Amino acid sequence: MRRGEVATLAGLSVEYYTRLERGDLAGASEQVLDSIARALQLDDAERAHLAHLAEPEDGTTRLNRRAARVGPDRTRRPSLQWMLDAVTAGPAFIRNGRMDLLAANRLARAFYVDVLPDGRRPANLARFAFLDSAARRFYPDWDEAADIAAAILRTEAGRVPHDRDLHDLVGELSTRSQEFRTRWARHDVRHHGSGTKRFDHPVVGELTVAYEGLELVAEPGLVLTIYTAEPGSASEERFRLLGSWAATEDAVSAAESAGSDRQHR
């Protein structure tokens, strides 16, 4: 729709709507924002993004202080890892809005074996999707995975616009990936709550999984995601194989660590 048509549907003057469209949203009332959302037929994620963009500076600052704590230190509560480890039939992990992979159960660590950190910084699913050549195989539907990753980051940018770590990540991806720059420029946002995905794992092969994303009430900004496979399906059997492989890898690592300890005594 044209600018004038949106303004008319929202019951606003063209001049005022033009100011809002250019980013002068400070002070816009909930009624005005709701009228714009209805006129543009925004979905829930887009409505939330619009509301975040219109938050006053003091609200933004409060969110920024909260977001600054959404990092590895936020996952040190032992009960969070206990919860993840209690999930044994599928990968379970916790991420933040920047798509940092902060904590995982055994199956998730095996599932994301190509994404795990190199020791210098946390694993990041968006960085993997856009900058690692292995992602094109891991995600058979790579274009869709890339769209989702960029939209999640754009949503987070609206929620915490002054998050320095997020700015650094977006800057890195924009500099190194034309695919990311194109998607970032679209300003797409979304809530990534549930659905199905396909993967091609380097160890067990193709998997079709259902996923559920749950926001952690006690840890604002963190999301618990669990992957499951349809009972009796080939993917469920491959999850079992992945679990066996992970247990073997853990046993080998433990034996190697024990041998190294004995050598240093």
Side-chain angles (χ1 to χ4, degrees):
M1 289 187 293
R2 295 180 178 179
R3 182 179 295 156
E5 293 172 332
V6 176
T8 299
L9 288 173
L12 305 172
S13 69
V14 175
E15 292 77 12
Y16 182 51
Y17 178 72
T18 300
R19 284 172 46 202
L20 298 177
E21 192 178 58
R22 290 174 177 171
D24 187 12
L25 288 166
S29 68
E30 288 187 21
Q31 291 80 3
V32 167
L33 297 178
D34 188 57
S35 296
I36 294 172
R38 287 200 306 271
L40 294 175
Q41 299 181 349
L42 302 184
D43 61 24
D44 289 344
E46 291 164 338
R47 282 174 175 264
H49 186 64
L50 178 64
H52 287 313
L53 292 177
E55 284 182 346
E57 184 60 30
D58 57 349
T60 299
T61 301
R62 184 167 57 252
L63 283 172
N64 289 340
R65 288 197 294 268
R66 179 185 301 171
R69 299 194 297 274
V70 179
D73 289 344
R74 291 285 301 282
T75 61
R76 288 182 178 175
R77 272 198 300 126
S79 58
L80 287 178
Q81 189 62 54
W82 300 342
M83 173 188 65
L84 292 173
D85 291 339
V87 180
T88 58
F93 60 92
I94 293 172
R95 68 163 177 83
N96 58 21
R98 295 188 300 271
M99 300 191 73
D100 292 326
L101 187 59
L102 302 179
N105 67 355
R106 173 186 279 177
L107 263 178
R109 292 192 296 271
F111 186 79
Y112 282 121
V113 65
D114 285 341
V115 191
L116 292 176
D118 55 15
R120 292 175 295 175
R121 56 189 175 187
N124 183 274
L125 297 171
R127 186 181 288 115
F128 173 74
F130 287 103
L131 303 183
D132 195 317
S133 59
R136 297 280 183 163
R137 173 182 173 176
F138 186 65
Y139 299 113
D141 305 310
W142 184 86
D143 283 323
E144 180 181 357
D147 289 345
I148 290 171
I152 289 174
L153 294 185
R154 176 61 78 175
T155 303
E156 183 71 353
R159 191 180 74 88
V160 283
H162 302 297
D163 180 354
R164 180 172 297 178
D165 289 335
L166 178 59
H167 285 189
D168 291 345
L169 175 62
V170 170
E172 177 188 2
L173 296 179
S174 297
T175 300
R176 300 176 60 187
S177 172
Q178 175 62 46
E179 295 277 13
F180 177 79
R181 288 196 298 274
T182 299
R183 288 168 170 79
W184 187 251
R186 295 174 187 165
H187 290 260
D188 291 338
V189 295
R190 67 176 293 161
H191 290 158
H192 193 53
S194 64
T196 59
K197 293 183 179 182
R198 294 193 307 136
F199 298 94
D200 188 353
H201 192 272
V203 175
V204 299
E206 294 184 5
L207 294 157
T208 299
V209 306
Y211 67 89
E212 295 289 339
L214 311 172
E215 294 186 2
L216 300 182
V217 175
E219 303 286 355
L222 299 189
V223 176
L224 164 67
T225 300
I226 300 175
Y227 292 151
T228 56
E230 182 180 355
S233 66
S235 294
E236 183 186 44
E237 177 59 28
R238 287 169 183 163
F239 269 152
R240 292 196 190 99
L241 291 175
L242 184 61
S244 298
W245 177 79
T248 300
E249 291 293 299
D250 287 350
V252 170
S253 296
E256 290 176 348
S257 179
S260 177
D261 289 344
R262 285 194 295 270
Q263 289 178 359
H264 287 86
R265 287 177 183 172

